[in-house]
Amino acid sequence: MALNPYLPQPARILKRRQESDTVFTLRLRFEDVGLRARYRFAPGQFNMVYLLGVGEVPISIVSDPELDGVFDHTIRCVGRVTEGLASLHEGECVGIRGPYGRGWPLSEAQGRDLLVITGGLGCAPVVSVIHYAIRHRRRFGKLTIIQGVKHSDDMIYRDQYQAWSQVPNTEVHVAANAVRGAWPWHVGPVTELIAQAEPDPERTVVMMCGPEGMMLAAARMLMDKGLPDTALFLSLERNMQCGIGHCGHCQIGGQFVCRDGPVFNFAQVRSWFGVRGF
Ligand SMILES: Cc1cc2nc3c(=O)[nH]c(=O)nc-3n(C[C@H](O)[C@H](O)[C@H](O)COP(=O)(O)OP(=O)(O)OC[C@H]3O[C@@H](n4cnc5c(N)ncnc54)[C@H](O)[C@@H]3O)c2cc1C
Ligand code: FES
């Protein structure tokens, strides 16, 4: 019998890691052994995470899609549900529906250079694709990761960024507008790093997430460097309720972010950027 798409399935917290004052990562595993074995996701997809008795929120899956039987969510506390999730301990359960949405265009990106650009906790939707590209390094050309944060204190996954920079044919560039303490990377806005990048317009696929203003500025700079809008992919965030294309809460133009996205190419959504109400 098919599962009711509105029914969250219990998943237990195996590990909880505090990434910064307001950001934490949960490693989860379904209680149901059959579901555990069947559950597969693509980089860029999300789950609806249900805090019992409080509510449900869409959260990207950040782990390597080939990790066996477990998956990770990195969550920033901003309100009712995320603050409640932050107070859970290892061994407690949440409800999960998913995976939902369309992820990054991995088959289109095969054999091409990847340029990954993220801002703030916007890194969550691309972390899984970075894990994937690193695990299958030979399937892709040059991998360049550009990450921007407002303040160096906001920089999570520092060890991972250091480790990724050691992988062959991979560059990691990080920028912070303001810094405290030792900071080995660039000081200034992330757009300064994008201005310095020299992606090959014929070979490069760009994957971006973060604040929409940053993605719009980045898209314009990359098109000035000769990249077509069809090679620029963005992960969008909208208020969601159902997560499966039924309620209309996440509509952008004629599309639903939960069902048709969250990853779109810029050509599909550029006319809605900056338009009030979208
Ligand atoms: C596809 C998708 C993937 C996401 N992935 C992640 C992730 O990996 N990690 C993560 O921490 N968050 C992620 N989010 C955002 C997350 O869903 C929201 O932060 C969450 O719904 C807030 O719920 P809350 O009950 O804690 O806050 P609420 O009490 O609902 O809201 C608190 C404040 O946050 C604002 N807010 C709520 N939702 C959003 C939103 N989607 N965008 C901008 N502002 C919002 C509200 O306006 C309000 O000011 C994702 C959202 C989408 C659509
Ligand atoms: S959240 Fe209901 S249609 Fe997208």
Side-chain angles (χ1 to χ4, degrees):
M1 191 178 65
L3 284 177
N4 177 344
Y6 284 111
L7 194 63
Q9 299 298 315
R12 196 166 295 279
I13 301 171
L14 299 185
K15 256 194 229 160
R16 184 193 185 286
R17 183 171 126 153
Q18 196 68 36
E19 307 280 4
S20 74
D21 288 351
T22 55
V23 180
F24 59 98
T25 298
L26 301 179
R27 169 152 296 179
L28 298 165
R29 188 174 67 190
F30 284 111
E31 288 289 88
D32 183 285
V33 178
L35 182 56
R36 209 182 282 171
R38 282 197 309 279
Y39 181 80
R40 294 278 178 278
F41 66 90
Q45 287 192 296
F46 65 93
N47 283 323
M48 296 299 291
V49 180
Y50 174 50
L51 176 62
L52 274 71
V54 181
E56 239 184 347
V57 289
I59 300 288
S60 305
I61 310 163
V62 291
S63 39
D64 183 339
E66 288 168 29
L67 272 185
D68 221 10
V70 296
F71 52 95
D72 296 350
H73 285 303
T74 294
I75 303 171
R76 183 190 293 272
C77 301
V78 294
R80 225 162 38 91
V81 177
T82 48
E83 278 164 11
L85 289 168
S87 67
L88 296 179
H89 300 102
E90 291 176 2
E92 294 188 87
C93 273
V94 295
I96 296 287
R97 294 192 289 129
Y100 293 138
R102 286 199 205 164
W104 301 103
L106 287 177
S107 48
E108 199 170 328
Q110 288 237 3
R112 300 175 67 182
D113 293 347
L114 295 187
L115 172 57
V116 176
I117 300 177
T118 78
L121 183 69
C123 60
V126 290
V127 173
S128 169
V129 83
I130 297 173
H131 284 304
Y132 181 89
I134 290 200
R135 186 188 280 269
H136 300 285
R137 196 64 202 84
R138 290 200 185 144
R139 291 190 193 165
F140 303 96
K142 183 175 167 191
L143 169 63
T144 307
I145 301 164
I146 297 180
Q147 156 85 7
V149 287
K150 281 197 184 132
H151 195 282
S152 56
D153 290 353
D154 300 334
M155 179 69 189
I156 61 169
Y157 303 141
R158 281 187 192 218
D159 297 351
Q160 280 192 16
Y161 278 83
Q162 296 283 10
W164 291 334
S165 68
Q166 305 304 311
V167 175
N169 206 14
T170 303
E171 283 180 17
V172 175
H173 305 277
V174 186
N177 293 22
V179 301
R180 185 171 57 174
W183 177 253
W185 294 296
H186 183 75
V187 180
V190 69
T191 43
E192 290 178 2
L193 295 180
I194 300 167
Q196 287 164 19
E198 294 178 347
D200 179 341
E202 307 289 321
R203 290 187 44 90
T204 306
V205 170
V206 181
M207 301 183 180
M208 284 191 260
C209 51
E212 289 191 9
M214 184 223 61
M215 291 200 284
L216 183 58
R220 287 187 175 139
M221 292 169 84
L222 293 165
M223 286 191 292
D224 285 346
K225 290 175 190 278
L227 276 87
D229 57 3
T230 50
L232 310 178
F233 292 85
L234 309 87
S235 183
L236 297 187
E237 280 194 15
R238 286 293 178 277
N239 184 6
M240 289 185 183
Q241 298 286 318
C242 70
I244 52 176
H246 288 176
C247 72
H249 271 88
C250 66
Q251 201 162 354
I252 176 165
Q255 304 178 93
F256 292 148
V257 173
C258 66
R259 184 193 63 195
D260 306 313
V263 174
F264 295 93
N265 76 34
F266 191 52
Q268 289 174 284
V269 291
R270 63 186 295 182
S271 55
W272 304 112
F273 262 71
V275 178
R276 231 179 132 76
F278 287 99

